[in-house]
Amino acid sequence: MVSVVGDAGVGKTRLWKEFLELARERAVVGAGRCLPYGDGIIFWPIVEIVRVAAGMRETDKPAKAIRKIRRLVGDKAVVDRVAAAVGLRDAPFQVGELFWGIRRFLEILAAGKPLVVVFDDIQWAESTFLDLLGHLTANVQDGPILILCMARNALLEKQPAWG
């Protein structure tokens, strides 16, 4: 995991977008953004990554979207947990199980070639999402994954030991 922290307007977004353009030649890429407000936003960056990776459309009904995730990853346990994390299924999974499912989803995406994921605006991330990033950093085993976190300086006020 690499974190880029700086003031608004210094070019963090341009930096990661340029980096992803270069990375696309050698890696699978994905990006998601943390939102400053709203309901159901804890895993919003994962929602964005799953939608693009699985080829989901905003108009897809949950059953169709889940089928697309299943075609992509194949593992029912992973699909169930990812679907619950991104709001496609009401399932009583504990946070640790959701973390496991998201980690395995990313590892499966990285099985063919390296995976680069960008999480933008993590200064707005819920503490559970920051815990997910810690989980990914400590536990990814089955695939080359680079996690790039972009944040304003406010992240260091909320998480002084970050990075």
Side-chain angles (χ1 to χ4, degrees), residues 5-6 15 125:
V5 180
L15 177 70

Side-chain angles (χ1 to χ4, degrees):
M1 180 171 73
V2 175
S3 298
V4 177
V5 180
D7 292 328
V10 302
K12 295 180 304 294
T13 300
R14 181 168 182 202
L15 177 70
W16 72 257
K17 287 185 177 183
E18 293 285 335
F19 177 73
L20 285 188
E21 282 306 310
L22 294 171
R24 283 184 208 288
E25 296 173 14
R26 296 187 186 135
V28 175
V29 299
R33 183 173 153 261
C34 295
L35 302 175
Y37 57 85
D39 292 327
I41 63 168
I42 292 173
F43 294 116
W44 186 255
I46 302 299
V47 170
E48 293 182 315
I49 289 168
V50 170
R51 278 185 182 163
V52 172
M56 294 166 34
R57 300 177 190 268
E58 296 241 357
T59 56
D60 287 347
K61 301 231 183 277
K64 184 174 184 178
I66 291 167
R67 282 194 305 274
K68 289 180 177 184
I69 297 169
R70 187 173 297 120
R71 275 195 303 266
L72 180 64
V73 299
D75 184 321
K76 183 181 181 335
V78 172
V79 172
D80 289 345
R81 283 148 185 86
V82 169
V86 301
L88 294 172
R89 175 175 285 158
D90 289 329
F93 294 114
Q94 294 183 2
V95 171
E97 290 185 68
L98 298 177
F99 285 9
W100 173 86
I102 293 166
R103 176 179 59 84
R104 287 296 303 140
F105 177 83
L106 295 175
E107 289 173 338
I108 290 166
L109 289 182
K113 58 186 192 176
L115 172 65
V116 177
V117 289
V118 175
F119 296 116
D120 197 14
D121 288 329
I122 65 165
Q123 74 275 359
W124 291 324
E126 300 284 334
S127 60
T128 302
F129 188 78
L130 296 176
D131 290 345
L132 169 65
L133 294 176
H135 170 82
L136 293 172
T137 302
N139 295 292
V140 166
Q141 300 169 5
D142 296 329
I145 300 174
L146 172 63
I147 299 169
L148 182 57
C149 296
M150 310 303 281
R152 294 183 186 167
N153 291 322
L155 173 68
L156 300 179
E157 295 168 15
K158 187 163 78 169
Q159 298 279 328
W162 184 262

